[in-house]
Amino acid sequence: VDIRTQTLTDLFCRFRDRVDADLGYYVGLFDPERSWLHGADLESLASPLDYCLVAAYEPSRTEVLANVKAVRERTSLPVHAGILPGYPVVHDRETVAEIVSGLVEHGVPRMAVYNYGLLPEPSLEWIRAAVESHV
């Protein structure tokens, strides 16, 4: 684990020295509390990174916000959220609206949508409606 952590941190430090762009790290695909298993020491990564994006592919506002909270407890970086507002995770417009509202209310500065290019038409409409209600 120490070797993984040092390798990942060193890699992002080298990126930071060479890249003039925001750098982020995708946290929590399997469990935000266990990011260390992937070699991600979020405290060490705070120096070279600009943000973390938590993969909050969950079926409810409560679960999405729990993932955001878990990552916020482990880093001083801004925490963005990735959501999956369609099959097989979310099945209705109301849930998408609740998730987006929760992210806005909890000060999440950016949201990413997985897998935008493959979502069916109704899911795209749910996203549009949820985002427009906060613009």
Side-chain angles (χ1 to χ4, degrees):
V1 172
D2 290 340
I3 292 169
R4 284 180 161 186
T5 300
Q6 191 59 52
T7 300
L8 188 62
T9 301
D10 289 348
L11 181 63
F12 274 108
C13 286
R14 290 193 343 228
F15 284 160
R16 172 55 50 215
D17 290 342
R18 291 170 177 80
V19 176
D20 184 25
D22 284 351
L23 290 177
Y25 183 75
Y26 209 78
V27 180
L29 188 55
F30 300 109
D31 185 357
E33 290 89 359
R34 303 175 104 194
S35 58
W36 63 271
L37 287 171
H38 305 280
D41 176 353
L42 299 181
E43 189 174 316
S44 295
L45 288 172
S47 176
L49 294 180
D50 298 296
Y51 66 91
C52 287
L53 187 141
V54 60
Y57 305 156
E58 304 293 348
S60 73
R61 170 186 169 128
T62 301
E63 291 169 281
V64 167
L65 294 176
N67 283 1
V68 169
K69 180 181 180 211
V71 174
R72 281 182 169 164
E73 289 172 350
R74 287 159 176 80
T75 185
S76 59
L77 291 168
V79 176
H80 303 176
I83 65 168
L84 200 168
Y87 179 82
V89 177
V90 175
H91 303 282
D92 61 82
R93 172 191 300 259
E94 293 75 23
T95 303
V96 174
E98 289 170 2
I99 289 170
V100 171
S101 290
L103 294 172
V104 169
E105 290 166 15
H106 284 83
V108 174
R110 289 186 184 164
M111 179 187 76
V113 175
Y114 180 86
N115 189 335
Y116 191 81
L118 297 177
L119 289 172
E121 191 84 24
S123 292
L124 299 176
E125 172 56 32
W126 302 344
I127 297 163
R128 184 194 61 75
V131 170
E132 283 182 353
S133 71
H134 293 285
V135 176

